[in-house]
Coordinates of all heavy atoms in Angstrom, one line a residue:
M1 N -10.3 2.1 -0.7 CA -9.5 2.9 0.3 C -9.9 2.4 1.7 O -8.9 2.1 2.4 CB -10.0 4.3 0.1 CG -9.3 5.3 1.0 SD -7.6 5.1 1.1 CE -7.2 5.3 2.8
K2 N -11.1 2.3 2.0 CA -11.5 1.8 3.3 C -11.0 0.4 3.6 O -10.5 0.0 4.6 CB -13.0 1.8 3.5 CG -13.4 1.7 4.9 CD -14.9 2.3 5.2 CE -15.2 2.2 6.6 NZ -16.1 1.2 6.9
K3 N -11.0 -0.3 2.6 CA -10.5 -1.7 2.6 C -9.0 -1.8 3.0 O -8.6 -2.6 3.7 CB -10.8 -2.4 1.3 CG -10.9 -4.0 1.4 CD -11.2 -4.5 0.1 CE -11.1 -6.0 0.1 NZ -11.2 -6.6 -1.3
V4 N -8.3 -0.9 2.3 CA -6.9 -0.9 2.6 C -6.6 -0.5 4.0 O -5.8 -1.2 4.6 CB -6.2 0.1 1.6 CG1 -4.7 0.4 2.0 CG2 -6.3 -0.3 0.2
M5 N -7.2 0.6 4.5 CA -7.0 0.9 5.9 C -7.4 -0.3 6.8 O -6.6 -0.5 7.8 CB -7.9 2.1 6.3 CG -7.3 3.4 5.7 SD -5.6 3.7 6.3 CE -6.0 4.1 8.1
T6 N -8.4 -0.9 6.6 CA -8.8 -2.0 7.5 C -7.8 -3.2 7.5 O -7.4 -3.7 8.5 CB -10.1 -2.6 7.0 OG1 -11.1 -1.5 6.9 CG2 -10.7 -3.7 7.9
A7 N -7.2 -3.4 6.3 CA -6.2 -4.4 6.1 C -5.0 -4.1 7.0 O -4.3 -4.8 7.7 CB -5.8 -4.6 4.7
V8 N -4.5 -2.8 6.8 CA -3.3 -2.3 7.6 C -3.5 -2.4 9.0 O -2.7 -2.8 9.8 CB -3.0 -0.9 7.2 CG1 -2.0 -0.3 8.2 CG2 -2.6 -0.7 5.7
L9 N -4.7 -2.0 9.4 CA -5.1 -2.0 10.9 C -5.0 -3.5 11.4 O -4.5 -3.7 12.5 CB -6.6 -1.5 11.1 CG -6.7 -0.8 12.4 CD1 -5.9 0.5 12.5 CD2 -8.2 -0.4 12.6
A10 N -5.6 -4.4 10.7 CA -5.6 -5.8 11.0 C -4.2 -6.3 11.2 O -3.9 -7.1 12.0 CB -6.4 -6.6 10.0
A11 N -3.3 -6.0 10.1 CA -2.0 -6.4 10.1 C -1.2 -5.8 11.3 O -0.4 -6.5 12.0 CB -1.3 -6.0 8.9
A12 N -1.5 -4.6 11.7 CA -0.8 -3.9 12.9 C -1.3 -4.7 14.1 O -0.4 -4.9 15.0 CB -1.2 -2.5 12.9
M13 N -2.5 -5.0 14.3 CA -3.0 -5.7 15.4 C -2.3 -7.1 15.5 O -2.0 -7.6 16.6 CB -4.4 -5.9 15.4 CG -5.2 -4.6 15.8 SD -7.0 -4.7 15.5 CE -7.5 -6.0 16.7
C14 N -2.3 -7.7 14.3 CA -1.6 -9.0 14.3 C -0.2 -9.0 14.7 O 0.3 -9.8 15.5 CB -1.7 -9.5 12.8 SG -1.0 -11.2 12.6
L15 N 0.6 -7.9 14.3 CA 1.9 -7.7 14.7 C 2.0 -7.7 16.1 O 3.0 -8.2 16.7 CB 2.5 -6.5 13.9 CG 4.0 -6.2 14.2 CD1 4.9 -7.2 13.6 CD2 4.3 -4.8 13.7
S16 N 1.2 -6.8 16.7 CA 1.4 -6.6 18.2 C 1.2 -7.9 19.0 O 1.6 -8.0 20.2 CB 0.4 -5.6 18.7 OG -0.9 -6.1 18.6
M17 N 0.5 -8.9 18.4 CA 0.3 -10.1 19.1 C 1.3 -11.2 18.8 O 1.3 -12.3 19.3 CB -1.1 -10.7 18.7 CG -2.2 -9.9 19.3 SD -3.8 -10.6 19.0 CE -4.0 -10.4 17.2
T18 N 2.2 -10.9 17.8 CA 3.2 -11.8 17.4 C 4.6 -11.4 17.8 O 5.0 -10.2 17.7 CB 3.3 -11.9 15.8 OG1 1.8 -12.1 15.4 CG2 4.0 -13.0 15.4
V19 N 5.3 -12.3 18.4 CA 6.8 -12.1 18.6 C 7.5 -12.2 17.3 O 7.6 -13.3 16.8 CB 7.3 -13.0 19.7 CG1 8.7 -12.8 19.9 CG2 6.5 -12.8 21.0
V20 N 8.1 -11.2 16.9 CA 8.8 -11.2 15.6 C 10.1 -11.8 15.8 O 10.9 -11.2 16.5 CB 8.8 -9.8 14.9 CG1 9.6 -9.9 13.6 CG2 7.5 -9.3 14.6
A21 N 10.4 -12.9 15.2 CA 11.6 -13.5 15.3 C 12.5 -13.2 14.1 O 12.2 -13.5 13.0 CB 11.5 -15.0 15.5
M22 N 13.6 -12.5 14.3 CA 14.5 -12.2 13.2 C 15.4 -13.3 13.0 O 16.6 -13.3 13.6 CB 15.3 -10.9 13.4 CG 14.3 -9.6 13.6 SD 13.2 -9.3 12.1 CE 14.3 -8.5 11.1
A23 N 15.0 -14.3 12.3 CA 15.8 -15.6 12.3 C 17.0 -15.6 11.5 O 18.1 -15.5 11.9 CB 14.8 -16.8 12.0
D24 N 16.7 -15.7 10.2 CA 17.8 -16.0 9.2 C 18.3 -14.8 8.4 O 18.8 -14.9 7.2 CB 17.5 -17.1 8.2 CG 17.0 -18.4 9.0 OD1 17.8 -18.7 10.0 OD2 16.0 -19.0 8.7
G25 N 18.1 -13.6 8.9 CA 18.6 -12.4 8.2 C 17.4 -11.9 7.4 O 16.3 -12.3 7.4
I26 N 17.7 -10.7 6.7 CA 16.6 -10.1 6.0 C 16.5 -10.2 4.5 O 15.8 -9.6 3.8 CB 16.6 -8.6 6.4 CG1 17.9 -7.9 6.0 CG2 16.3 -8.4 7.9 CD1 17.9 -6.4 6.0
Q27 N 17.6 -10.9 3.9 CA 17.6 -11.1 2.5 C 16.8 -12.3 2.1 O 16.9 -13.4 2.8 CB 19.1 -11.2 2.1 CG 19.9 -9.9 2.3 CD 19.2 -8.8 1.5 OE1 18.9 -8.9 0.3 NE2 19.2 -7.6 2.1
P28 N 16.1 -12.2 1.0 CA 15.5 -13.4 0.4 C 16.6 -14.4 0.0 O 17.7 -14.0 -0.5 CB 14.8 -12.9 -0.9 CG 14.8 -11.5 -0.7 CD 15.8 -11.0 0.1
R29 N 16.4 -15.6 0.3 CA 17.3 -16.7 -0.1 C 17.4 -16.8 -1.7 O 16.3 -16.7 -2.3 CB 16.9 -18.0 0.4 CG 18.1 -19.0 0.3 CD 17.5 -20.3 0.9 NE 18.6 -21.2 1.2 CZ 19.3 -21.9 0.2 NH1 18.9 -21.7 -1.0 NH2 20.2 -22.7 0.5
A30 N 18.5 -17.0 -2.2 CA 18.6 -17.3 -3.6 C 17.6 -18.5 -3.9 O 18.0 -19.5 -3.3 CB 19.9 -17.5 -4.1
P31 N 16.8 -18.4 -4.8 CA 15.8 -19.6 -5.0 C 16.3 -20.6 -5.9 O 15.8 -21.0 -6.8 CB 14.6 -18.8 -5.7 CG 15.3 -17.7 -6.4 CD 16.5 -17.3 -5.7
I32 N 17.6 -21.1 -5.5 CA 18.1 -22.2 -6.2 C 18.5 -23.4 -5.2 O 18.8 -23.1 -4.0 CB 19.3 -21.8 -7.0 CG1 20.4 -21.1 -6.2 CG2 18.9 -21.0 -8.3 CD1 21.8 -21.1 -6.8
C33 N 18.5 -24.5 -5.7 CA 18.8 -25.7 -4.8 C 20.4 -25.8 -4.6 O 21.1 -25.5 -5.4 CB 18.4 -26.9 -5.5 SG 18.9 -28.4 -4.6
D34 N 20.7 -26.1 -3.3 CA 22.1 -26.2 -3.0 C 22.7 -27.4 -3.7 O 24.0 -27.4 -3.9 CB 22.3 -26.4 -1.4 CG 21.8 -25.2 -0.7 OD1 22.0 -24.1 -1.2 OD2 21.4 -25.3 0.5
E35 N 21.9 -28.3 -3.9 CA 22.5 -29.6 -4.6 C 22.7 -29.6 -6.1 O 23.7 -29.9 -6.6 CB 21.5 -30.8 -4.3 CG 21.3 -30.9 -2.8 CD 22.3 -31.8 -2.1 OE1 23.1 -32.5 -2.8 OE2 22.4 -31.8 -0.9
C36 N 21.6 -29.0 -6.7 CA 21.7 -29.2 -8.2 C 21.6 -27.7 -8.9 O 21.8 -27.7 -10.1 CB 20.5 -30.0 -8.7 SG 18.8 -29.3 -8.3
G37 N 21.5 -26.8 -8.1 CA 21.5 -25.3 -8.7 C 20.2 -25.0 -9.5 O 20.2 -23.9 -10.1
R38 N 19.2 -25.9 -9.4 CA 18.0 -25.5 -10.2 C 17.1 -24.6 -9.4 O 17.1 -24.6 -8.1 CB 17.3 -26.8 -10.6 CG 17.8 -27.4 -11.9 CD 16.9 -28.5 -12.4 NE 17.1 -29.6 -11.6 CZ 16.9 -30.9 -11.9 NH1 16.5 -31.2 -13.1 NH2 17.1 -31.9 -11.2
T39 N 16.2 -23.9 -10.0 CA 15.2 -23.1 -9.4 C 14.3 -23.9 -8.6 O 13.8 -25.0 -8.9 CB 14.4 -22.3 -10.5 OG1 15.3 -21.7 -11.3 CG2 13.5 -21.3 -9.8
T40 N 14.0 -23.4 -7.4 CA 13.1 -24.1 -6.5 C 11.7 -23.4 -6.4 O 11.7 -22.2 -6.9 CB 13.6 -24.1 -5.0 OG1 13.9 -22.6 -4.6 CG2 15.0 -24.8 -4.8
S41 N 10.8 -24.0 -5.9 CA 9.5 -23.4 -5.7 C 9.4 -22.8 -4.2 O 10.1 -23.4 -3.3 CB 8.3 -24.3 -6.0 OG 8.3 -25.4 -5.0
R42 N 8.7 -21.7 -4.1 CA 8.6 -21.0 -2.9 C 7.3 -21.2 -2.3 O 6.4 -20.8 -3.0 CB 9.2 -19.6 -3.0 CG 9.2 -18.9 -1.6 CD 9.6 -17.4 -1.9 NE 8.5 -16.7 -2.6 CZ 8.5 -15.3 -2.5 NH1 9.3 -14.6 -1.9 NH2 7.5 -14.8 -3.2
T43 N 7.2 -21.6 -1.0 CA 5.9 -21.6 -0.4 C 5.8 -20.6 0.8 O 6.7 -20.7 1.7 CB 5.6 -22.9 0.2 OG1 5.7 -23.9 -0.9 CG2 4.1 -23.0 0.7
I44 N 5.0 -19.6 0.7 CA 4.9 -18.6 1.9 C 4.3 -19.3 3.1 O 3.2 -19.8 2.9 CB 4.1 -17.4 1.4 CG1 4.7 -16.8 0.1 CG2 4.1 -16.4 2.6 CD1 6.0 -16.0 0.3
I45 N 5.0 -19.3 4.1 CA 4.5 -19.8 5.4 C 3.7 -18.7 6.2 O 2.6 -18.9 6.7 CB 5.6 -20.5 6.2 CG1 6.1 -21.7 5.5 CG2 5.0 -20.9 7.5 CD1 7.4 -22.3 5.9
S46 N 4.4 -17.6 6.4 CA 3.7 -16.5 7.0 C 4.3 -15.1 6.5 O 5.3 -15.1 6.0 CB 4.0 -16.5 8.6 OG 5.3 -16.2 8.8
R47 N 3.4 -14.1 6.6 CA 3.8 -12.8 6.1 C 3.2 -11.9 7.2 O 2.1 -11.5 7.2 CB 3.1 -12.6 4.8 CG 3.7 -11.5 3.9 CD 3.2 -11.6 2.5 NE 3.7 -10.6 1.6 CZ 3.1 -9.6 1.2 NH1 1.9 -9.2 1.8 NH2 3.7 -8.6 0.4
E48 N 4.1 -11.2 7.9 CA 3.8 -10.4 9.0 C 4.1 -8.9 8.6 O 5.3 -8.6 8.3 CB 4.6 -10.7 10.3 CG 4.4 -12.1 10.8 CD 3.1 -12.4 11.5 OE1 2.3 -11.4 11.7 OE2 2.7 -13.5 11.6
Y49 N 3.2 -8.0 8.9 CA 3.4 -6.6 8.6 C 4.4 -6.0 9.7 O 4.3 -6.3 10.9 CB 2.1 -5.9 8.8 CG 2.2 -4.4 8.8 CD1 2.5 -3.7 7.6 CD2 2.0 -3.6 10.0 CE1 2.6 -2.3 7.6 CE2 2.2 -2.3 10.0 CZ 2.5 -1.6 8.8 OH 2.6 -0.2 8.8
L50 N 5.4 -5.3 9.2 CA 6.4 -4.7 10.1 C 6.2 -3.3 10.3 O 5.9 -2.8 11.4 CB 7.8 -4.9 9.5 CG 8.3 -6.4 9.5 CD1 9.7 -6.4 8.8 CD2 8.4 -7.0 10.8
Y51 N 6.3 -2.5 9.2 CA 6.2 -1.0 9.4 C 5.9 -0.4 8.0 O 6.0 -1.1 6.9 CB 7.4 -0.4 9.9 CG 8.7 -0.6 9.0 CD1 9.0 0.3 8.1 CD2 9.5 -1.7 9.3 CE1 10.1 0.1 7.3 CE2 10.6 -1.8 8.5 CZ 10.9 -0.9 7.5 OH 12.0 -1.1 6.7
M52 N 5.5 0.9 7.9 CA 5.2 1.6 6.7 C 6.2 2.7 6.5 O 6.7 3.4 7.4 CB 3.8 2.4 7.0 CG 3.1 2.7 5.8 SD 2.5 1.3 4.9 CE 1.0 0.9 5.7
E53 N 6.7 2.7 5.3 CA 7.7 3.6 4.8 C 7.1 4.7 4.1 O 6.3 4.4 3.2 CB 8.9 3.0 4.1 CG 9.9 3.9 3.7 CD 11.1 3.3 2.9 OE1 10.9 3.1 1.7 OE2 12.0 2.8 3.5
E54 N 7.4 6.0 4.2 CA 6.9 7.1 3.5 C 7.8 7.4 2.4 O 9.0 7.5 2.5 CB 6.8 8.3 4.4 CG 5.6 8.3 5.3 CD 5.2 9.6 5.9 OE1 6.0 10.5 5.7 OE2 4.1 9.7 6.4
V55 N 7.3 7.5 1.1 CA 8.1 7.8 -0.1 C 7.4 8.8 -0.8 O 6.1 9.1 -0.7 CB 8.2 6.6 -1.0 CG1 9.0 5.5 -0.2 CG2 6.9 6.0 -1.3
E56 N 8.0 9.5 -1.8 CA 7.5 10.5 -2.6 C 6.4 9.8 -3.5 O 6.6 8.8 -4.1 CB 8.5 11.2 -3.4 CG 8.1 12.4 -4.1 CD 9.3 13.1 -4.8 OE1 10.0 13.8 -4.3 OE2 9.4 12.7 -6.1
C57 N 5.3 10.6 -3.7 CA 4.2 10.1 -4.5 C 4.7 10.1 -6.0 O 5.4 11.0 -6.4 CB 3.0 10.9 -4.4 SG 1.6 10.4 -5.4
N58 N 4.4 9.1 -6.8 CA 4.8 9.1 -8.2 C 3.8 9.8 -9.1 O 4.1 9.9 -10.2 CB 5.0 7.6 -8.6 CG 3.7 6.7 -8.4 OD1 2.7 7.2 -8.1 ND2 4.0 5.5 -8.7
K59 N 2.8 10.3 -8.4 CA 1.9 11.3 -9.3 C 2.0 12.7 -8.8 O 2.0 13.6 -9.7 CB 0.4 10.8 -9.2 CG 0.1 9.5 -9.8 CD -1.4 9.2 -9.7 CE -1.6 7.7 -9.7 NZ -2.6 7.2 -8.8
Y60 N 2.1 12.9 -7.6 CA 2.2 14.3 -7.1 C 3.5 14.3 -6.2 O 3.4 13.8 -5.0 CB 0.9 14.7 -6.2 CG -0.3 14.5 -7.0 CD1 -1.0 13.3 -6.8 CD2 -0.8 15.5 -7.8 CE1 -2.3 13.1 -7.5 CE2 -2.1 15.3 -8.6 CZ -2.7 14.0 -8.3 OH -3.9 13.8 -9.0
P61 N 4.5 15.0 -6.7 CA 5.8 15.0 -6.0 C 5.7 15.7 -4.5 O 6.5 15.4 -3.7 CB 6.6 15.9 -6.9 CG 6.2 15.7 -8.2 CD 4.6 15.7 -8.0
D62 N 4.7 16.5 -4.4 CA 4.6 17.2 -3.1 C 3.8 16.4 -2.1 O 3.6 16.8 -0.9 CB 4.0 18.6 -3.3 CG 2.5 18.4 -3.9 OD1 2.4 17.5 -4.7 OD2 1.6 19.3 -3.5
K63 N 3.4 15.1 -2.5 CA 2.7 14.3 -1.5 C 3.4 13.0 -1.2 O 4.3 12.7 -2.0 CB 1.3 14.0 -2.1 CG 0.4 15.2 -2.3 CD -1.1 14.8 -2.5 CE -1.9 16.0 -2.3 NZ -2.6 16.8 -2.9
T64 N 3.0 12.3 -0.2 CA 3.7 11.0 0.1 C 2.8 9.9 -0.1 O 1.6 9.9 0.2 CB 4.3 11.1 1.6 OG1 3.1 11.4 2.4 CG2 5.4 12.1 1.7
D65 N 3.4 8.8 -0.5 CA 2.7 7.5 -0.4 C 3.3 6.7 0.6 O 4.4 7.0 1.2 CB 3.0 6.8 -1.8 CG 2.2 7.5 -2.9 OD1 1.4 8.4 -2.7 OD2 2.4 7.2 -4.2
N66 N 2.7 5.5 0.8 CA 3.2 4.6 1.8 C 3.6 3.3 1.2 O 2.9 2.7 0.3 CB 2.3 4.4 3.0 CG 2.2 5.6 3.8 OD1 3.1 6.1 4.4 ND2 1.0 6.2 3.9
I67 N 4.7 2.7 1.6 CA 5.0 1.3 1.2 C 5.1 0.4 2.3 O 6.0 0.7 3.3 CB 6.3 1.3 0.4 CG1 6.1 2.0 -1.0 CG2 6.8 -0.2 0.1 CD1 7.4 2.1 -1.8
P68 N 4.3 -0.6 2.6 CA 4.4 -1.4 3.7 C 5.5 -2.4 3.6 O 5.8 -2.9 2.5 CB 3.1 -2.2 3.7 CG 2.6 -2.1 2.3 CD 3.2 -0.9 1.6
Y69 N 6.1 -2.7 4.6 CA 7.2 -3.8 4.7 C 6.6 -5.0 5.6 O 6.0 -4.8 6.6 CB 8.5 -3.3 5.2 CG 9.3 -2.5 4.2 CD1 8.9 -1.2 3.9 CD2 10.3 -3.1 3.4 CE1 9.5 -0.4 3.0 CE2 10.8 -2.4 2.5 CZ 10.6 -1.0 2.3 OH 11.2 -0.3 1.3
Y70 N 7.1 -6.1 5.1 CA 6.6 -7.4 5.7 C 7.8 -8.3 6.0 O 8.8 -8.2 5.3 CB 5.7 -8.1 4.8 CG 4.4 -7.4 4.5 CD1 4.3 -6.6 3.2 CD2 3.3 -7.5 5.3 CE1 3.2 -5.9 3.0 CE2 2.2 -6.7 4.9 CZ 2.1 -6.0 3.8 OH 0.9 -5.3 3.6
E71 N 7.7 -9.0 7.0 CA 8.6 -10.1 7.3 C 8.0 -11.4 6.7 O 6.9 -11.8 7.2 CB 8.9 -10.2 8.8 CG 10.0 -11.3 9.1 CD 10.2 -11.5 10.4 OE1 9.4 -12.2 11.1 OE2 11.3 -11.1 11.0
V72 N 8.6 -12.0 5.7 CA 8.2 -13.2 5.2 C 8.9 -14.4 5.6 O 10.1 -14.4 5.6 CB 8.2 -13.1 3.6 CG1 7.6 -14.3 3.0 CG2 7.4 -11.9 3.1
T73 N 8.2 -15.5 6.0 CA 8.9 -16.7 6.2 C 8.3 -17.7 5.1 O 7.2 -17.8 4.8 CB 8.5 -17.3 7.6 OG1 8.9 -16.4 8.6 CG2 9.2 -18.6 7.8
A74 N 9.4 -18.3 4.4 CA 9.0 -19.1 3.3 C 9.8 -20.4 3.3 O 10.9 -20.4 3.8 CB 9.1 -18.3 2.0
E75 N 9.3 -21.4 2.7 CA 10.0 -22.7 2.4 C 10.3 -22.8 1.0 O 9.5 -22.6 0.2 CB 9.2 -23.8 3.0 CG 9.9 -25.1 3.0 CD 9.3 -26.2 3.8 OE1 8.2 -26.2 3.9 OE2 10.0 -27.2 4.0
Y76 N 11.5 -23.2 0.7 CA 11.9 -23.5 -0.7 C 12.1 -25.0 -0.9 O 12.7 -25.7 0.0 CB 13.3 -22.8 -0.9 CG 13.3 -21.3 -0.8 CD1 13.3 -20.7 0.3 CD2 13.1 -20.5 -2.0 CE1 13.2 -19.3 0.4 CE2 13.0 -19.2 -1.9 CZ 13.1 -18.5 -0.7 OH 13.0 -17.2 -0.7
T77 N 11.5 -25.3 -1.9 CA 11.5 -26.8 -2.2 C 12.1 -27.1 -3.6 O 11.6 -26.5 -4.7 CB 10.1 -27.4 -2.2 OG1 9.5 -27.0 -0.9 CG2 10.1 -28.8 -2.3
C78 N 13.0 -28.0 -3.7 CA 13.5 -28.4 -5.1 C 12.7 -29.7 -5.4 O 12.4 -30.5 -4.5 CB 15.0 -28.8 -4.9 SG 15.7 -29.6 -6.4
S79 N 12.3 -29.7 -6.7 CA 11.5 -30.9 -7.1 C 12.3 -32.2 -7.0 O 11.7 -33.3 -7.0 CB 11.0 -30.7 -8.5 OG 12.1 -30.4 -9.4
T80 N 13.6 -32.2 -7.0 CA 14.4 -33.4 -6.9 C 14.9 -33.7 -5.5 O 14.8 -34.7 -5.0 CB 15.7 -33.2 -7.8 OG1 15.2 -32.9 -9.2 CG2 16.5 -34.6 -7.9
H81 N 15.3 -32.6 -4.8 CA 16.0 -32.8 -3.5 C 15.1 -32.4 -2.4 O 15.6 -32.4 -1.2 CB 17.3 -32.0 -3.5 CG 18.3 -32.5 -4.6 ND1 18.5 -31.7 -5.7 CD2 19.0 -33.5 -4.6 CE1 19.3 -32.4 -6.4 NE2 19.7 -33.5 -5.8
G82 N 13.9 -32.0 -2.6 CA 13.0 -31.8 -1.5 C 13.1 -30.5 -0.8 O 13.8 -29.5 -1.4
G83 N 12.6 -30.2 0.3 CA 12.6 -29.0 1.1 C 14.0 -28.5 1.6 O 14.7 -29.4 2.0
M84 N 14.3 -27.3 1.5 CA 15.5 -26.9 2.0 C 15.3 -26.0 3.4 O 16.3 -25.3 3.7 CB 16.2 -26.0 0.9 CG 16.5 -26.8 -0.3 SD 17.6 -25.9 -1.5 CE 16.5 -24.6 -1.9
G85 N 14.3 -26.2 4.0 CA 14.0 -25.5 5.2 C 13.3 -24.2 5.1 O 13.0 -23.8 4.0
E86 N 13.1 -23.5 6.2 CA 12.4 -22.3 6.2 C 13.5 -21.1 6.3 O 14.5 -21.2 6.8 CB 11.5 -22.1 7.5 CG 10.4 -23.1 7.4 CD 9.5 -23.0 8.7 OE1 9.6 -22.0 9.4 OE2 8.8 -24.0 8.9
F87 N 13.0 -20.1 5.5 CA 13.9 -18.8 5.6 C 13.1 -17.6 5.8 O 11.9 -17.5 5.3 CB 14.7 -18.7 4.2 CG 15.6 -19.9 4.0 CD1 15.1 -21.0 3.4 CD2 16.8 -20.0 4.5 CE1 15.8 -22.1 3.1 CE2 17.7 -21.0 4.3 CZ 17.1 -22.1 3.6
T88 N 13.6 -16.6 6.5 CA 12.9 -15.4 6.8 C 13.6 -14.2 6.2 O 14.8 -14.1 6.3 CB 12.8 -15.2 8.3 OG1 12.2 -16.3 8.9 CG2 12.0 -14.1 8.7
Y89 N 12.8 -13.4 5.6 CA 13.4 -12.1 4.9 C 12.4 -11.1 5.0 O 11.3 -11.3 5.2 CB 13.9 -12.5 3.6 CG 12.9 -13.0 2.6 CD1 12.1 -12.2 1.9 CD2 12.6 -14.4 2.5 CE1 11.0 -12.7 1.0 CE2 11.7 -14.9 1.8 CZ 10.9 -14.1 1.1 OH 9.9 -14.6 0.2
M90 N 12.8 -9.9 4.6 CA 11.9 -8.7 4.6 C 11.5 -8.5 3.1 O 12.3 -8.6 2.1 CB 12.6 -7.4 5.1 CG 12.3 -7.2 6.5 SD 13.2 -5.9 7.2 CE 12.6 -4.5 6.2
E91 N 10.3 -8.0 2.9 CA 9.8 -7.8 1.5 C 8.9 -6.5 1.5 O 8.1 -6.3 2.4 CB 8.9 -9.0 1.2 CG 8.4 -9.0 -0.2 CD 7.6 -10.3 -0.5 OE1 6.4 -10.3 -0.2 OE2 8.2 -11.2 -1.0
A92 N 9.1 -5.7 0.5 CA 8.3 -4.6 0.4 C 6.9 -4.9 -0.3 O 6.9 -5.7 -1.3 CB 8.9 -3.5 -0.4
G93 N 5.8 -4.4 0.3 CA 4.6 -4.6 -0.3 C 4.2 -3.6 -1.5 O 5.1 -2.8 -1.8
S94 N 3.0 -3.6 -1.9 CA 2.7 -2.6 -3.0 C 2.4 -1.3 -2.4 O 1.9 -1.1 -1.4 CB 1.5 -3.2 -3.7 OG 0.5 -3.5 -2.9
R95 N 2.8 -0.3 -3.3 CA 2.6 1.1 -2.8 C 1.1 1.5 -2.6 O 0.3 1.1 -3.3 CB 3.1 2.0 -4.0 CG 3.0 3.4 -3.9 CD 3.3 4.0 -5.2 NE 4.8 4.0 -5.4 CZ 5.6 5.1 -5.1 NH1 5.1 6.2 -4.7 NH2 6.9 5.0 -5.3
I96 N 1.0 2.3 -1.5 CA -0.4 2.7 -1.2 C -0.4 4.2 -1.5 O 0.3 5.0 -0.8 CB -0.7 2.5 0.3 CG1 -0.7 1.0 0.6 CG2 -2.1 3.1 0.6 CD1 -0.7 0.7 2.1
C97 N -1.2 4.6 -2.5 CA -1.3 5.9 -2.9 C -2.8 6.4 -2.7 O -3.7 5.7 -3.1 CB -1.0 6.0 -4.5 SG -1.1 7.7 -5.1
R98 N -2.9 7.5 -2.0 CA -4.2 8.0 -1.6 C -4.6 9.1 -2.4 O -5.5 9.9 -1.9 CB -4.2 8.3 -0.1 CG -3.8 7.2 0.8 CD -4.1 7.5 2.3 NE -3.9 6.4 3.1 CZ -2.8 6.1 3.8 NH1 -1.7 6.9 3.7 NH2 -2.7 5.1 4.6
H99 N -4.0 9.4 -3.5 CA -4.3 10.7 -4.3 C -5.1 10.4 -5.5 O -4.9 9.3 -6.1 CB -3.1 11.4 -4.6 CG -2.2 11.4 -3.4 ND1 -0.9 10.9 -3.3 CD2 -2.4 11.9 -2.1 CE1 -0.4 11.0 -2.2 NE2 -1.2 11.6 -1.4
Ligands
ZN101 ZN1 18.0 -30.0 -6.2
ZN102 ZN1 0.2 9.3 -4.2

């Protein structure tokens, strides 16, 4: 529990020091190569904490859990055609339940 809070705090501090560039939209890119249509490998370049969303707890309906959202910048690489550049999108992190 304490560890989670520390991580969130560190991420928030990190965010305040970072100019968030909303570069290429918020959707993950389809992980396929433009040239051959095969699945690419994804390398995460950065993952910045954005904000916390409150949702209904899945154990206690009268309580709330939090789901952190991150802005992820990743590079996609085809094993045949090489890197397809960097792409930025939003990603939900794992649910934080305090109950
Ligand atoms: Zn390819
Ligand atoms: Zn909960």
Side-chain angles (χ1 to χ4, degrees):
M1 180 50 221
K2 193 154 186 257
K3 203 175 169 192
V4 171
M5 281 305 289
T6 308
V8 169
L9 211 68
M13 281 173 66
C14 184
L15 180 68
S16 68
M17 289 185 292
T18 309
V19 179
V20 179
M22 299 303 278
D24 301 313
I26 59 168
Q27 293 298 319
R29 191 183 197 286
I32 54 166
C33 176
D34 293 333
E35 303 278 337
C36 65
R38 272 189 291 206
T39 305
T40 57
S41 63
R42 185 181 67 158
T43 306
I44 303 288
I45 294 164
S46 70
R47 198 165 183 264
E48 303 285 348
Y49 170 75
L50 289 179
Y51 61 88
M52 201 66 84
E53 183 181 82
E54 288 199 340
V55 295
E56 190 178 274
C57 182
N58 54 8
K59 289 183 207 143
Y60 306 96
D62 59 325
K63 300 196 161 95
T64 52
D65 291 350
N66 290 302
I67 293 178
Y69 280 83
Y70 299 90
E71 184 186 74
V72 178
T73 300
E75 182 168 21
Y76 294 82
T77 307
C78 173
S79 56
T80 306
H81 300 102
M84 296 190 294
E86 292 179 20
F87 299 90
T88 303
Y89 56 91
M90 266 172 66
E91 182 178 88
S94 50
R95 173 187 289 263
I96 299 167
C97 180
R98 300 190 175 95
H99 316 117

